[in-house]
Amino acid sequence: MKPTVLVTRAVFPEVIELLSQHFDVESNQVDEVYGEDELKRRLQGKVGLFSNPTDGVSADVIRSVPGLKAVCNMAVGYNNIDVAAATEAGILVTNTPDVLNETTADLGWALLMAAARRVTESEHYLRAGLWKKWSYDGFLGADIHGSTVGVIGMGRIGQAIARRSIGFDMQVVYHNRSRLTPEQEAYANHARYLGKEELLRTADHVVLVLPYSPASHHTIGAAELALMKPTATLVNIARGGIVDDAALIDALKRGTIAAAGIDVFENEPAFNPGFLELKNVALTPHIGSASRPTRMAMATTAARNLIAALSGQVPPNLLNPEARQP
Ligand code: GLV
């Protein structure tokens, strides 16, 4: 008999096919989002979970499924999973790093350009039929080329963002838990390490790419926004909760900073409605990794992790090696 696994959200049929070669798969191609009780109910009797960032895999969920052996998340971020509880229960947890670095960096740039150059705002104006004449000062924005970008969270995606700045003749400053090696800094357009406050004062534009954890909650709030330049753009492609969204909305209203490009929100998809009242924002619904090849690579990576984990191998992207039984 094949082991039984749950795939919580709709995914490419090819990936269900791959999983079905190894497992009895309960899939959800109608794409209902399971709440905690439904997730617990559906997990009963399963040994593997192919999860998504929309699933709250809490300690409670984990403890309610005694036979569960692996949780393989289709995302690089895994703050939706209580990894400590999984480790304690001997459950392997994996994510999908690397395959989404370049695509997510692309979206960071798209939001930076759209917000700083007021692309979204001017398109709304055009679509509303308000464009009656060209004017010398219509939709003046901030320059990207020649400016200094500040990257907070200089992991693989942050470094991919920094590398893209070479073509725009830009300077890069960064802040991170640990400094990069001199070689990594050189490759990332000679990025210069700064403390967070100095970075916020120095950068013309700031891009957030750090993982969410209780320690990074509200990394950017009212005090941090007040340090930024009034001409600056803030981009959040990291996770909801890294930014205090209410404080950001207030700063954008007051002109504390010029603009923002936001892909991730506190309490998404039920984001703060104050964003919709603002013109100086470019907003996208958590699509950082959303290109077909990248989402396919993420789904395949998560499936391969699950196949390895349930066949006694070390999954390629194991996050909690200490969970493996000796
Ligand atoms: C998406 O947000 C991810 O973490 O991969």
Side-chain angles (χ1 to χ4, degrees):
M1 229 174 63
K2 290 179 184 168
T4 311
V5 302
L6 175 69
V7 180
T8 58
R9 297 289 308 278
V11 72
F12 300 101
E14 297 91 315
V15 174
I16 298 287
E17 178 52 40
L18 170 63
L19 290 168
S20 301
Q21 291 167 20
H22 301 262
F23 310 120
D24 266 341
V25 180
E26 179 177 327
S27 62
N28 175 19
Q29 294 301 77
V30 293
D31 207 26
E32 192 190 328
V33 180
Y34 300 148
E36 182 162 312
D37 288 344
E38 186 65 8
L39 187 57
K40 280 184 187 165
R41 195 178 71 73
R42 292 194 178 259
L43 267 174
Q44 295 313 307
K46 308 291 190 307
V47 292
L49 173 61
F50 182 116
S51 60
N52 283 270
T54 50
D55 304 314
V57 188
S58 63
D60 230 28
V61 169
I62 285 165
R63 289 184 195 125
S64 73
V65 197
L68 193 63
K69 292 192 166 56
V71 176
C72 298
N73 214 33
M74 187 183 136
V76 65
Y78 49 88
N79 57 303
N80 59 309
I81 301 167
D82 190 325
V83 179
T87 305
E88 198 177 302
I91 295 168
L92 308 186
V93 180
T94 66
N95 67 342
T96 62
D98 294 323
V99 292
L100 46 60
N101 296 347
E102 304 300 326
T103 298
T104 307
D106 288 347
L107 187 83
W109 275 91
L111 286 173
L112 175 57
M113 306 287 283
R117 291 300 308 276
R118 304 175 67 175
V119 173
T120 311
E121 181 184 356
S122 58
E123 182 178 349
H124 284 143
Y125 170 88
L126 179 151
R127 284 178 184 271
L130 298 171
W131 188 26
K132 302 298 179 204
K133 60 180 194 304
W134 180 90
S135 53
Y136 80 97
D137 61 350
F139 294 102
L140 300 182
D143 274 329
I144 302 296
H145 74 273
S147 69
T148 296
V149 64
V151 179
I152 302 187
M154 197 61 148
R156 288 161 288 208
I157 301 172
Q159 291 172 50
I161 287 170
R163 284 200 309 276
R164 282 161 174 71
S165 71
I166 296 170
F168 286 86
D169 232 345
M170 294 168 72
Q171 309 282 314
V172 178
V173 292
Y174 76 97
H175 182 70
N176 199 40
R177 271 174 305 191
S178 50
R179 270 193 79 150
L180 303 185
T181 63
E183 293 73 24
Q184 287 171 321
E185 288 183 349
Y187 188 50
N189 193 13
H190 302 280
R192 198 156 55 88
Y193 181 84
L194 292 180
K196 182 173 93 173
E197 296 194 351
E198 200 182 348
L199 178 145
L200 293 169
R201 283 195 202 96
T202 305
D204 295 309
H205 306 294
V206 175
V207 183
L208 304 171
V209 210
L210 63 166
Y212 181 84
S213 70
S216 63
H217 184 73
H218 288 186
T219 293
I220 301 292
E224 288 76 19
L225 290 159
L227 296 175
M228 291 175 66
K229 298 183 182 181
T231 47
T233 298
L234 177 73
V235 172
N236 186 8
I237 53 167
R239 269 289 182 277
I242 298 276
V243 174
D244 177 343
D245 284 350
L248 174 60
I249 289 165
D250 188 53
L252 288 162
K253 272 191 189 144
R254 290 170 188 271
T256 309
I257 65 169
I262 307 293
D263 186 50
V264 286
F265 301 83
E266 289 188 288
N267 306 316
E268 62 181 56
F271 61 90
N272 188 322
F275 278 116
L276 299 180
E277 290 162 23
L278 299 170
K279 291 188 172 155
N280 49 347
V281 287
L283 306 172
T284 48
H286 201 148
I287 60 165
S289 60
S291 75
R292 174 168 283 276
T294 293
R295 283 283 165 82
M296 179 61 91
M298 291 166 69
T300 308
T301 300
R304 293 209 176 110
N305 278 319
L306 194 53
I307 293 163
L310 296 184
S311 57
Q313 295 158 25
V314 181
N317 307 112
L318 184 60
L319 292 164
N320 58 345
E322 61 282 20
R324 293 190 84 221
Q325 310 295 345

